[in-house]
C-alpha cells in the first residue's frame, strides 16, 4: 500500500518499524503521550514498543491501519495517524493517534492529514462515519477536528486517569453525508 491518500497535500503510507525512532522523538513527555495515545503505551514512549506496534498493525487481522504522513514536496515524514475499521463490511472508523512533527505544527498540516484520513475512509473505503476521542483540555486537537468538519457528539466524563487525576474526553464524529465540509 503506497500513496493511498486521495488528497494531494500529504501522502499516507504504512507505518513501518523503521519509523519508530522518529515517532518516539515527537512524543516527549508523559502528558504528550497521554494526549496522543491515552494509556496504550507506557511512559516514556519507547522505540521498541513502537516497532512492535508497527509489526502488529501490519497484520490486516489486527483491524488498525497505522500510517505515516509524508510531505510529497520534500519526501519528509511529518506526521502519523491511525484508523480502525477500514474494511468495506464496516460502517465506521475511529481516527486515533494523530500527531504532527513538533517543528511542523500550526502550519495547517494536521488539517491536511485529518482530511486525507477521512477522505480515505469515505472516498476509498466507502464508510459512513468517522469518529475521534479527544481529551477535553487538548485545545489544539479540538480546534483541528472541528475545523475538519467534526461535530462534538458527547462528553465522556472521567474517561481515563493520568497521574492520579481523571481526565474527561469528547467524542466527535463526521458522517459521509457531511463530507466534505463547506
Ligand atoms: C493536534 C495537532 C495534531 C494539530 O496539528 P497542527 O498541524 O498544528 O494543526 P493545524 O495547523 O492544521 O491547525 C488546526 C487548528 O488547530 C488550531 N491549533 C493548532 N495548534 C493549536 C494550539 N496549540 N492551541 C490552540 N489552537 C491550536 C489552529 O489554530 C487551527 O485552528 P483554526 O484554523 O481555527 O485557527 C498537533 O498539535 C499535535 O501533534 N499535537 C500533539 C498530539 C495530539 O495531541 N494529538 C491529538 C490526539 S486526539
Amino acid at each position: 500500500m503506497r500513496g493511498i491518500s486521495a488528497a494531494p497535500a500529504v501522502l499516507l503510507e504504512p507505518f513501518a518499524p523503521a519509523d519508530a525512532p522518529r515517532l518516539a522523538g515527537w512524543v516527549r513527555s508523559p502528558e504528550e503521550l497521554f494526549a496522543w495515545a491515552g494509556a496504550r503505551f507506557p511512559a516514556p514512549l519507547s522505540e521498541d514498543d513502537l516497532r512492535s506496534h508497527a509489526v502488529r498493525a501490519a497484520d490486516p487481522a489486527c483491524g488498525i491501519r497505522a500510517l505515516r504522513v509524508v510531505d510529497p514536496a520534500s519526501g519528509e515524514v511529518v506526521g502519523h495517524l491511525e484508523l480502525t475499521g477500514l474494511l468495506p463490511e464496516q460502517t465506521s472508523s475511529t481516527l486515533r493517534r494523530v500527531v504532527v512533527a513538533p517543528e511542523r505544527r500550526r502550519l495547517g498540516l494536521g488539517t491536511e492529514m485529518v482530511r486525507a484520513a477521512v477522505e480515505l475512509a469515505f472516498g476509498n473505503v466507502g464508510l459512513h462515519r468517522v469518529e475521534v476521542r479527544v481529551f477535553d483540555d487538548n485545545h489544539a486537537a479540538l480546534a483541528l477536528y472541528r475545523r475538519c468538519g467534526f461535530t462534538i457528539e458527547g462528553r465522556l466524563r472521567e474517561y481515563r486517569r493520568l497521574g492520579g487525576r481523571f481526565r474527561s474526553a469528547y467524542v466527535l464524529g463526521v458522517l459521509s453525508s457531511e463530507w466534505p465540509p463547506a
Side-chain angles (χ1 to χ4, degrees):
M1 178 180 66
R2 292 191 67 81
I4 57 178
S5 169
V10 292
L11 294 173
L12 304 182
E13 299 180 348
F15 175 62
D19 297 313
R22 182 191 306 104
L23 178 55
W26 293 345
V27 182
R28 299 161 295 187
S29 70
E31 289 73 22
E32 286 187 2
L33 175 58
F34 187 74
W36 175 62
R40 170 63 181 84
F41 302 104
L45 183 60
S46 80
E47 296 177 14
D48 280 348
D49 281 350
L50 287 174
R51 281 191 201 95
S52 303
H53 182 62
V55 170
R56 181 170 168 266
D59 177 355
C62 122
I64 299 171
R65 196 83 67 87
L67 300 163
R68 67 182 176 211
V69 180
V70 176
D71 175 352
S74 64
E76 198 185 340
V77 179
V78 292
H80 178 97
L81 57 82
E82 303 187 6
L83 286 156
T84 67
L86 287 187
L87 298 166
E89 63 268 29
Q90 303 281 343
T91 57
S92 74
S93 173
T94 301
L95 177 59
R96 303 198 299 202
R97 301 180 194 131
V98 175
V99 62
V100 172
E103 70 279 8
R104 302 291 293 264
R105 290 181 192 166
R106 304 214 76 163
L107 298 170
L109 196 53
T111 302
E112 296 299 343
M113 287 167 43
V114 170
R115 283 185 181 152
V118 177
E119 190 58 41
L120 173 63
F122 290 158
N124 297 50
V125 186
L127 301 187
H128 180 63
R129 169 187 166 82
V130 175
E131 71 175 49
V132 65
R133 295 177 182 200
V134 184
F135 289 105
D136 63 0
D137 60 354
N138 193 342
H139 303 294
L142 286 168
L144 165 65
Y145 297 122
R146 296 185 79 173
R147 183 180 183 181
C148 291
F150 285 72
T151 299
I152 292 181
E153 298 176 333
R155 187 160 182 268
L156 301 168
R157 296 176 304 149
E158 302 190 356
Y159 175 59
R160 293 279 189 273
R161 187 163 61 183
L162 176 70
R165 185 165 74 80
F166 281 104
R167 315 290 175 101
S168 299
Y170 288 113
V171 181
L172 297 95
V174 62
L175 305 179
S176 57
S177 57
E178 299 164 343
W179 191 261

